[in-house]
Amino acid sequence: MTADDVTRAAKTRAKILDGFARAERALFTRPAPKSARAQMKFLRTREKGSTKSLAERLGVSRKTVQRYLSGASTKPNKRLQEALVQETESEWQPQVRAQARQRAASSGGLVISCRAYFGFGPEGTSDAGRVRDISVAVSPSHAAAIIAAQEEGATESDLHDAVAEAIADAYFRQGGGGRAGLEVKFADVEWLNIAF
């Protein structure tokens, strides 16, 4: 595998994780806190009131956390703002997220839409690899595997493989009928969206 292949694979995997994050944000029934002070207060409650552990979590000093909590500071730098948004959204409405994940894994499945390179046949045939726009409903069993891998902190490679297998089975193999042994290459993802 060349350096370019490794770089492309890393970008693909990052898009899968971003797709999950966007899907979860769409589930929120109430908007997450927007101001730095409100985000700090919310995250402090998640850290059981500890400004020290919150500072470690955000990668800033304890005094910085205290300044935002008191209102003395209001405009965080770009790195701190990104950390606040990411940490707040990762903790926001956990029951809503858990219910959607349970529903997807047990009965609803996921809908994955993407534009990526898919290849499964020899060059020069109609099955040759090419960039395709695909939107496919993924079965609950594949959804459960993808969600479990993401929750368990699977490597990005494992997550990529789980999504690729789900798309290949649902779209190209059509649930195993006719093309059960078909190997599908999934790479160069331009965009990817996931819906619960």
Side-chain angles (χ1 to χ4, degrees):
M1 191 178 260
T2 68
D4 287 341
D5 291 341
V6 171
T7 302
R8 277 197 306 267
K11 287 179 183 176
T12 295
R13 293 177 197 117
K15 289 179 182 168
I16 293 169
L17 293 173
D18 288 344
F20 262 109
R22 283 192 308 275
E24 288 182 339
R25 281 194 300 269
L27 297 172
F28 295 157
T29 58
R30 294 177 305 155
K34 298 289 184 213
S35 73
R37 184 177 185 189
Q39 290 168 335
M40 286 282 190
K41 285 182 175 183
F42 170 72
L43 291 171
R44 183 179 61 180
T45 62
R46 292 295 194 205
E47 293 294 330
K48 298 182 176 39
S50 172
T51 56
K52 181 180 178 185
S53 62
L54 177 55
E56 290 171 2
R57 181 176 180 174
L58 296 173
V60 297
S61 70
R62 193 173 186 176
K63 287 219 180 249
T64 300
V65 170
Q66 291 168 343
R67 281 195 305 271
Y68 282 99
L69 288 171
S70 69
S73 293
T74 57
K75 296 209 176 212
N77 62 30
K78 185 177 179 180
R79 190 203 61 75
L80 179 57
Q81 180 61 42
E82 288 173 358
L84 282 169
V85 169
Q86 181 180 351
E87 293 298 321
T88 300
E89 287 181 352
S90 73
E91 295 278 343
W92 191 248
Q93 293 190 322
Q95 286 107 356
V96 171
R97 251 194 319 270
Q99 288 170 354
R101 286 171 177 256
Q102 178 61 34
R103 196 171 40 253
S106 63
S107 63
L110 297 171
V111 175
I112 299 176
S113 304
C114 64
R115 179 175 178 84
Y117 174 89
F118 291 94
F120 57 90
E123 292 300 319
T125 67
S126 63
D127 292 338
R130 63 182 180 270
V131 175
R132 301 171 191 246
D133 289 328
I134 291 178
S135 184
V136 64
V138 174
S139 70
S141 61
H142 281 297
I146 293 168
I147 291 167
Q150 197 237 359
E151 287 175 347
E152 293 168 2
T155 65
E156 291 180 354
S157 178
D158 292 339
L159 190 58
H160 176 264
D161 293 345
V163 170
E165 181 63 23
I167 292 171
D169 196 43
Y171 188 81
F172 295 103
R173 295 183 202 128
Q174 297 156 353
R179 295 181 163 183
L182 184 69
E183 290 295 320
V184 178
K185 181 181 178 188
F186 173 57
D188 299 335
V189 176
E190 293 179 24
W191 55 266
L192 184 134
N193 291 318
I194 297 172
F196 285 92

